[in-house]
């Protein structure tokens, strides 16, 4: 078992109403799984993803990654796991505007390892996702689709055992979506476990499991 969610919940207490964004979710993810999670906007998908990668603190429950209860760790240890053993492609814009495209991809490597030369791997990843000649370019010079591709390359630079992607192809055209999903499938076959949120019908069937989130709860629709 690579990842286990146990009674995971997130509740927002407002002055007028109480909102249960994630409702006591239990989920087991085996090494080598490729999960596609679907569901309407507001169903709790992104909230759950942010909790399982250690960004958003849950109201209750556990996130156990490779035997480690993430929310029992201090901030430094949690950040190390998130940068080194997980790759995360968040929804929306996430690149640092003052860093070049290449430096954005390299950032998780230097945060985790501190030193070394991994430029060649970063350049290879950028080419795999369709970004050529990145040296000297900044995020402001990229299209929305190119920005998404750079975020994917950044998430893969440390060869994570778990890749978590929240709408990774949301800004991409159909052909590029197919290219990115084929890359994800190759990465998965090489041993990386993938959890992906998607609204794209063309992306759903690349995984071995399809789950649906609704009203903060999750249910399995198909398992190969």
């Amino acid at each position: 078992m690579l990842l286990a969610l146990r009674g995971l919940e997130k509740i927002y207490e407002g002055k007028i109403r109480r909102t249960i964004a994630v409702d006591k979710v239990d989920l087991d993810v085996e090494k080598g799984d490729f999960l596609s999670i679907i569901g309407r906007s507001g169903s709790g998908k992104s909230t759950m993803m942010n909790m399982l990668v250690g960004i958003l603190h849950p109201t209750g429950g556990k996130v156990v990654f490779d035997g480690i209860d993430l929310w029992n760790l201090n901030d430094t240890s949690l950040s190390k796991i998130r940068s080194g053993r997980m790759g995360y492609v968040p929804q929306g814009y996430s690149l640092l505007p003052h860093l070049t495209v290449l430096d954005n991809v390299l950032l998780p490597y230097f945060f985790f390892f501190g030193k070394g030369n991994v430029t060649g791997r970063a350049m290879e990843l950028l080419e795999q996702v369709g970004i050529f000649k990145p040296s000297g370019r900044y995020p402001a010079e990229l299209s929305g689709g190119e920005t998404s591709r750079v975020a994917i390359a950044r998430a893969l630079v440390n060869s994570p055992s778990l890749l978590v992607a929240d709408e990774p192809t949301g800004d991409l055209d159909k052909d590029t979506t197919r290219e990115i999903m084929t890359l994800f499938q190759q990465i998965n076959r090489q041993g990386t476990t993938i959890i992906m949120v998607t609204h794209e019908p063309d992306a759903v069937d690349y995984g071995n499991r399809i789950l649906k989130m609704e009203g903060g709860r999750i249910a399995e629709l198909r398992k190969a």
Side-chain angles (χ1 to χ4, degrees):
M1 187 75 62
L2 181 67
L3 180 73
L5 309 183
R6 292 290 179 266
L8 191 67
E9 64 178 355
K10 185 62 179 180
I11 300 172
Y12 294 99
E13 301 284 358
K15 292 182 179 180
I16 299 175
R17 59 180 294 186
R18 184 174 188 256
T19 301
I20 302 175
V22 175
D23 190 4
K24 291 184 170 60
V25 165
D26 291 322
L27 179 65
D28 292 334
V29 181
E30 301 286 349
K31 292 180 180 179
D33 271 344
F34 187 160
L35 276 63
S36 298
I37 301 176
I38 61 174
R40 295 180 179 179
S41 296
S43 62
K45 305 183 303 300
S46 293
T47 301
M48 182 181 71
M49 299 287 260
N50 285 330
M51 289 191 291
L52 72 85
V53 297
I55 292 175
L56 181 64
H57 202 292
T59 305
K62 292 183 178 182
V63 178
V64 181
F65 174 69
D66 206 13
I68 301 169
D69 187 345
L70 293 186
W71 289 105
N72 277 342
L73 300 175
N74 60 36
D75 287 343
T76 300
S77 298
L78 184 55
S79 295
K80 285 286 188 181
I81 287 180
R82 186 168 59 239
S83 297
R85 300 180 61 192
M86 294 180 175
Y88 184 40
V89 184
Q91 189 176 31
Y93 188 88
S94 63
L95 302 183
L96 298 181
H98 61 284
L99 295 182
T100 65
V101 166
L102 181 59
D103 285 342
N104 264 283
V105 175
L106 290 170
L107 189 63
Y109 177 86
F110 288 113
F111 182 83
F112 185 71
F113 293 103
K115 59 183 179 179
N117 188 349
V118 75
T119 300
R121 171 166 172 75
M123 295 289 285
E124 181 181 326
L125 285 168
L126 284 165
E127 288 190 13
Q128 281 185 302
V129 298
I131 301 292
F132 302 95
K133 298 181 180 179
S135 298
R137 295 177 70 190
Y138 285 84
E141 302 172 56
L142 306 179
S143 67
E146 288 175 322
T147 298
S148 296
R149 298 184 203 191
V150 173
I152 291 167
R154 182 183 60 185
L156 295 172
V157 72
N158 285 340
S159 301
S161 55
L162 174 64
L163 175 64
V164 178
D166 192 356
E167 295 285 357
T169 60
D171 295 324
L172 306 180
D173 59 39
K174 188 173 182 178
D175 289 340
T176 307
T177 292
R178 183 170 59 251
E179 292 171 4
I180 293 300
M181 293 314 303
T182 299
L183 174 62
F184 275 23
Q185 201 168 50
Q186 292 171 351
I187 294 164
N188 178 245
R189 287 171 178 166
Q190 292 167 2
T192 301
T193 303
I194 298 176
I195 302 175
M196 176 185 70
V197 165
T198 184
H199 284 112
E200 301 291 327
D202 295 332
V204 169
D205 289 328
Y206 281 83
N208 69 313
R209 299 172 64 183
I210 300 176
L211 300 95
K212 183 177 182 180
M213 201 153 189
E214 187 172 3
R217 298 185 179 184
I218 199 164
E220 188 130 18
L221 300 182
R222 191 196 74 189
K223 187 173 183 178

